[in-house]
Amino acid sequence: MSPPPTSTRSQKQRHDSLEAFCHSGDRPRVLSEAARVLKPGGALAFADIMADEDAPADALHPVVSRLGLDALATSSFYVDRLTGLGLAPVEFDDHSSQLTHHYVRLSADTRAKEAELRATPAYVDGLLANLPLWVEAARAGRLHWGTFSARRTAA
């Protein structure tokens, strides 16, 4: 895909992320930096996996510990933080109903290709041990997934 013409690029700015923020141990800093680099009128769009607002942190800790995290963010964290950074409107499109199917399928596909993936056995063993925890957490309603969009207000 070719970049847009220079005149368009100077008028519009957009930053996208797909499930990368959940891997950060410092989400406030990530969001602050994303908001900082947006030009007035620029848009930020991202998808992320989050904890349910009422999910006990200790229930999700075994799930997220393989990612090197203590906890996941929640949708209210993202909405509050983005609003506090001056982005508006902040919109959230909830696709949590797709999570169980995603993790069940990912587990099955990983097991089906386990022999191919054995080039990195420790990683595969960890993944195969951890994926059922994600399935269980999704089935229990402890996880959410969706997309956020927000725009830096015009100057």
Side-chain angles (χ1 to χ4, degrees):
M1 176 184 247
S2 302
T6 304
S7 61
T8 303
R9 224 178 313 143
S10 65
Q11 294 169 5
K12 297 180 182 178
Q13 181 186 24
R14 179 176 165 161
H15 290 282
D16 297 307
S17 170
L18 184 60
E19 297 161 10
F21 294 173
C22 67
H23 294 273
S24 173
D26 193 354
R27 287 177 213 92
R29 184 174 175 199
V30 170
L31 294 175
S32 294
E33 183 63 12
R36 185 188 70 76
V37 300
L38 283 177
K39 295 178 183 176
L44 174 65
F46 64 95
D48 210 9
I49 299 168
M50 297 155 282
D52 178 74
E53 301 290 337
D54 298 322
D58 62 332
L60 287 178
H61 185 42
V63 177
V64 301
S65 62
R66 188 179 75 74
L67 303 177
L69 300 172
D70 292 324
L72 295 171
T74 61
S75 58
S76 65
F77 163 82
Y78 284 125
V79 170
D80 293 347
R81 187 69 184 187
L82 293 169
T83 301
L85 290 167
L87 279 69
V90 177
E91 297 177 4
F92 175 61
D93 192 11
D94 191 346
H95 296 284
S96 300
S97 64
Q98 299 173 15
L99 271 176
T100 300
H101 175 75
H102 167 73
Y103 282 114
V104 166
R105 176 120 187 229
L106 182 60
S107 294
D109 289 351
T110 304
R111 287 214 182 276
K113 296 181 180 184
E114 183 177 355
E116 290 174 53
L117 301 171
R118 281 287 155 200
T120 53
Y123 176 80
V124 174
D125 291 342
L127 185 61
L128 289 171
N130 188 251
L131 281 171
L133 301 177
W134 286 85
V135 171
E136 180 185 324
R139 284 186 174 144
R142 293 187 187 121
L143 297 174
H144 286 280
W145 178 75
T147 58
F148 290 86
S149 61
R151 189 170 293 279
R152 162 117 3 249
T153 52

